[in-house]
Amino acid sequence: MKRELNVNHLSRVEGHGAVDIVFENERLKEIRLRFTEGPRFFEFITRERLYSEIPKIVSRICGICYVSHRLASAFAVEDAFGVKVPREVELLRRLLVVGEYLESHALHLYFLALPDYMGYPGAIQMAKDYPNVVKRGFRIKELGNKIMKLLGGKTVHGENILVGGFASFPTEEALESVGNELRSIIPELEATLSLFDSLDYPEFTSEVSVAVSVDSKDVTEFSDTVSTSDGVRFTRKEYELFIREETVPYTTAKVSRFEEEPFLIGPLSRVNLHLEELHPAVKKEISLLKTDFPSKNSFHSNVARAVELLNVAYRGVEIVEELLNCERTPSKISVEPRAGTGYGIKEAPRGTLYHRYSFSDDGHCTGANIITPTAQLQAAIESDLRNLTETYSSVSDRELRKLAEMLIRAYDP
Amino acid sequence: MKKSLEKLLNKPLPVDPFKPQRAVITDVEELAPDHKKFTFAFLDESLAKVWDYIPGQFVMLTVPKAGEIPISICSSPTRKGFFELTVRKVGRKTKVLHRLKPGDVVAVRGPYGNGFPVGIMEGHNVLIIAGGLGMAPLRSLVWYILDRRSRFKEVYLLYGTRNYEFVLYKEELRRLKEREDIKCLFCLDRVETPEDREWADIEGLLTELIPQVKLEPSETYVAVCGPPVAYKFIGKELLKNGYPESQIFVSLERKMECGIGKCGHCQIGYKFACVDGPIFPLWDTKNLPEML
Amino acid sequence: MDFHIERAKILPKSNLWGFLEGLKGVAPLIAPVERGNKTVFSEVNDISDVTINYTRTVLPPKKFLVPYRRVRFTYSTGELSFSSNFKARDQIIFGIHSCDLHGISILDSVYLKESPDPRYLEVRKKTVLIGISCMPDDYCFCLSTGTAFPDGANWDLFLTDIGADYFVSIGSPKGDELIIELKELFRDIEREDLELYKRSTRKKKEAFRDKKLPDLERISQLIELEYESPVWDEEAKRCLSCGTCTNVCPTCFCYTSVDVPDFEGKTVKRVEFTTSCQYPYYSLVAGGHYFKPTRTARFRHRYYHKLVGYPYQIEKLGCVGCGRCSAECPAKISMVETLIKLRGADEKESGKATEQTSAGRSL
Amino acid sequence: MVRVGIMGLTGCSGCQCEILNCEDAIGKLIGKVEFAYFPLAQDVNDFSEFDILFVEGSVSTNLDREKLVKGRERTKILVAVGTCACYGGVQSQRNDEISLDEMLKAVYGENKLDLEVFKPMPLSDVVDVDYELPGCPLDKRQFVYTVASLLNGVEPFFPKIPVCHECKLSETDCLLLKGIPCQGPVSFSGCGAPCTSAGVGCQGCRGNCDFPNFDEILSIYRDIGLSFDDSVKFLKVFRGKTISGLKVGFSDEKGA
């Protein structure tokens, strides 16, 4: 006998997703995580476009993590043309990432994830009973937005982030004010961390064994290499050799595997891999948590996100300090196109992001490949869902459906 | 020059010309599809007693929440205590106005514009030519003249519109047609239904009615209001029939936003429709190329 | 010495900063400051930001008299009671060039002559205008428009650069009071100063000698008669209808007003925002008819209004020759070029005369 | 209570995020309106009936189309938010250049999808749209103003004036005069010109202003060294189908 459990419209996730859990004779037969988002052909529409247009176009892949797409594509173009940006540009890009994480993680934690654990359909409803909690979420988000607006030009899809740097730099006063606001938001982030640490997460152990992340001590730093929890290291040029993509008919996202296996990326993966490299103040906070890191419980992604929030704020303060003492450079260095291929990797809030572009000698794009975190997570989430269904085989369909949703949300696909 | 500037700056703060007065809707009448006539009374009774205007002038009507619109007054200043506006539902603000009911309060500034030169018209024949919604401001003139009938000589009213359904002020005009002291000639673009046949003197355009008017052109003032496209033809026909162009007055519709020559939207050539108009002698159309 | 002039004083250049500091003590000070490669009028906290030798600001000082977006009224939807919580503040605008002073005098006529706008009047009464002399660049044509020198009395003080000093003309009692307040910074005029002052007028006029200037004699009639000229189409073809020319113009005043209700539906703001005759919607009436349907019609309208409309309405040209519209036009359309083209072959001939006639008018 | 829905089709969710950034407005709206449907923010959603439905994203699959048609049937007012919903979005910039099959092949190879896929199109290609709030993302203030107006039974007013208006009034240097490609003169304002004030040319993300003069802007681009092809591609990024077939000599009769 065949039985199907479906969640046709996953809510409180960005984009459109659906899950089918298929049982046959009471045995789990198949799990399908479907992204039903219409295809947007980014690898195709970037073709024949001038290199300077690429970051702008691919920014539109995601409205929440646009900074990551813009930076990853800028890295790729700069790689192809052999451009090295000055320290000041790099620092501003890192500060931009601070803003992106504050916005994205706060949005996810307070508005998408938290209502599950507090028993509300959404944050709007939750605001009636817990106005201060929701306000705190808004406040963190607001600071993230402010940084992105200041450096990127707009809160969403800021056009100031270009190949070779920025069209213009912020003033020193503006940077100072960002530094002060970052300092003053730290108590709020500590409160966030203890709130998310205190929630009751379902018992769960993921069987996804490999964690992958860009080789840098934290998300605000950029790197050319990737490392995995089983000790493999590879460069951004080799990304497509290690992370293999395939198309499956039931989803518009492509499914990626590492050595034929699902793998974990994202906040939990990053915190697990780089626990020792966190800011000392954050490390101290972690030691006080009831959640133990490294953790194999995928629901702990939420705690990891809160850890990262606090960490980026501390890093942000450092970055601002360095920026204020940094040698003044032109905001954008000139870029000379040449034929070739470039690669860019970056830790987006949801996980590792990869862009590759090839160019003709006059700087027109001749080919592109973009591997998004969502695509790479698909196999891991499916594996976790299978695992979850088996762990919670005795609960009602309704509860199982709810647990599945919460699990998927923890990944913030 | 020096003196005049000093004078400008030394003026005391004037009564705010932008500040409207409240008025209540006392009656709403549906005249034709999308055409309604609203009757208003100022809430300030002392104002209601003294508020005066000239036929052809307009007011700036604040439709609450939607904004201000310029509307020609269609009642006659000879009748005090109320005023009427006929409005076609055509834009975002008039849509909201059409939802209002008796008892609702609006705000009004004005009257603005020059109005028809009724003083000069006195002692002469008057030929009134109305097309479509142009009947609204001219209704004001018609009643002004009829209420002071002895000051004017012969009066003609020519009125043309699409078909009977779109005729405004049906009953009123029917009664006018029976009067001896005004000659009414009506035309319709299309005569199809029995009502159309009963109403129309001819099937056709206003220009075809003009030759039927038995007035001495040099002794006649003409007031025209209708869709701008019609002016060219009506003007030509009037001139052909011998009416002097300095005695033909047309009323022009523009996008008035302030009513007092400050916002610029209603410029016609070098003139402002709101302060120099909206009534212009046909002679001006020669000098204001964008007039028609 | 019996030489004595009360209507003017001398401000040694070394005292200028003291003067600015003094002004700032009297009321909020607005002055030209550098921003990027441009100069803008801005409220100054630190007088060392003030720039004295600038050619033109992006926007004229008009923005401190008529803000580009302003709330005319707020009204309640229930009672329909209209209230304005607008309060004009005292302000001193320093460093206005002659063309812009003339621009303000034109705005004065527009706003105050008939149906005076009480809000403008209030602002204007509380504003002190201090002008400063300048030298022209390639876009300036104030000599043609007769606005190269500060005539009229809509300003309070005017500083003319005469070398080591500023020759400070006093235009109003308010200006006089400022001088008395800061009298230790000034000295009396001597005969030589007056000579230098007169020379400065000549110097500015000489600076125009090699520049292209339009002849504006009988310009109203010319524009009316050339209504059908192909020049309009030629120029308008390049026009982007972007509205820059009117937005930077010191005499443009058109606005649109919109009622903006709040969420509760309890109060409504009547917001006025600056607009431009170059935008198609400007002449669009409900029902969908454009009164200026073509780019040519809109383009020509600006010239028509400036050079025919203003003279009809306020007996002054609506152009003060500041050159902003040409300097800022993304399509590099030049008012001077258009006018020269319109005058056509006759231009060469009458161009010669320009110098004499304008000179006659300006002195 | 006024029933409001916020729905996303094929897009990046950026506009919905921007709506979530309107903290003040959402605070004020709670109690005035019921967010009956807002899957991005809540998991209890009712799609049965709306007074106002905001739709983000382009129509790219049969699921999008079905959802949109149903939404249209069930709402009094339908508002398209964002450039994808208004014009088709960045994903539609090459609609006129190439067939759907080629696009699918380029991205998915020979593999077939379960979904029926079309070339991305704006909502107005499928249903009647009452109001359009373009922008990538939409502008928060315009969203708030639109909601406030509609709640009061008044239509919002958006004259299609060019971005230069807001840019010049904020005293920003004209980028075209500095030789930086900018679409300000041909693009619909309302954003507050954040890009030009940061020194980046306007990218035209809000689509066309009234009667844009493409001939002249192309000739300016040529003067600053952009090839005709690159210029056209630059203009096409956000304009979707509203610009397809752009060639020299293209100009609107009325605005010409």
Side-chain angles (χ1 to χ4, degrees), chain C residues 128-141:
Chain C
V128 173
L129 302 178
I130 302 179
I132 194 162
S133 62
C134 53
M135 293 305 270
D137 74 353
D138 286 344
Y139 294 106
C140 295
F141 58 104

Side-chain angles (χ1 to χ4, degrees), chain A residues 4 42 46 64 75 79-80 92 110 157 162 206 243 336 351 371 401 407:
Chain A
E4 268 198 50
F42 277 99
T46 45
I64 305 174
F75 294 161
D79 183 32
L92 280 166
Y110 282 93
H157 299 316
L162 304 172
S206 171
I243 309 289
E336 286 299 321
I371 306 180
R401 205 178 278 137
L407 177 74

